[in-house]
Amino acid sequence: MASYKWLFHSARYPVKPSDTAEKFDPQSNNHIIVLRKNHIFVVPLADASGREFSAPEIEAQLNNIISHAGSQTHSTPIGALTGDNRDFWTDARAALVSASPSGKNAQLLKKIDGAMIVLALDDTKPITREDISWGTWVGDGRNRWYDKHQRTFLRPTLCFLLCGPQPEFSSLQ
């Protein structure tokens, strides 16, 4: 039960010799991260006054992301680094931060880390249970952010919620 506090607004950090984790304040991190075709989008869950967006408003934001991402996959899948060897990802994350003297990369990584969840919007259309399992757990490994403790993957007709080692499946129509 103690692990439930790590389901939302938390992230693990690659550190040598062992990863660390951080919990973020939901009030100041009221957003999700959406991954679409290796693009990273920050989606607020409330407006500036604190009014939470309705389901149709969030759906409209997701549809805008799908349109904006277009049909071309971004050539640099940064999220894939989170699935690599942890020492390699430690060095790569440090390189990403230092590559941006303005601090923009560090700010974006902090936005990803503090997000409620990461939502990966995939184009795949799994048929078999093996396709569903493979797509849910890793996909192609590129359109993912493995340092978040909860990841959700949407396909045209199915929604998969994955948290920890046991996936939970529910159908959306």
Side-chain angles (χ1 to χ4, degrees):
M1 293 290 201
S3 63
Y4 287 148
K5 73 178 183 178
W6 297 100
L7 288 178
F8 303 105
H9 299 99
S10 63
R12 70 177 175 172
Y13 291 101
V15 179
K16 295 176 186 177
S18 180
D19 289 354
T20 62
E22 184 174 350
K23 181 79 175 149
F24 294 85
D25 176 35
Q27 297 298 336
S28 57
N29 292 282
N30 198 7
H31 64 278
I32 62 173
I33 296 297
V34 177
L35 304 175
R36 173 73 174 166
K37 296 189 176 288
N38 303 336
H39 296 271
I40 300 170
F41 300 89
V42 178
V43 178
L45 298 174
D47 64 18
S49 70
R51 181 189 66 83
E52 292 182 356
F53 292 128
S54 66
E57 289 172 312
I58 292 172
E59 181 182 8
Q61 290 185 58
L62 295 177
N63 285 327
N64 286 338
I65 287 171
I66 290 168
S67 296
H68 182 74
S71 60
Q72 294 297 318
T73 300
H74 192 283
S75 62
T76 308
I78 300 296
L81 294 170
T82 66
D84 208 327
N85 173 281
R86 299 307 291 173
D87 288 345
F88 178 82
W89 172 221
T90 300
D91 295 338
R93 185 179 171 114
L96 280 171
V97 170
S98 65
S100 174
S102 68
K104 184 177 180 181
N105 286 353
Q107 291 171 353
L108 291 173
L109 287 168
K110 199 65 149 175
K111 276 284 195 191
I112 294 169
D113 296 335
M116 180 182 190
I117 60 170
V118 170
L119 178 67
L121 298 176
D122 290 346
D123 283 331
T124 61
K125 295 179 179 132
I127 305 297
T128 67
R129 287 179 187 222
E130 184 177 346
D131 292 343
I132 292 169
S133 296
W134 186 258
T136 302
W137 285 100
V138 295
D140 65 4
R142 299 160 76 77
N143 198 47
R144 298 289 186 267
W145 199 269
Y146 295 108
D147 285 346
K148 295 298 290 180
H149 295 279
Q150 179 161 327
R151 299 174 298 272
T152 305
F153 315 97
L154 292 181
R155 284 156 177 103
T157 58
L158 295 173
C159 172
F160 301 99
L161 173 65
L162 173 65
C163 53
Q166 300 297 321
E168 179 181 317
F169 303 100
S170 58
S171 180
L172 289 178
Q173 296 301 330

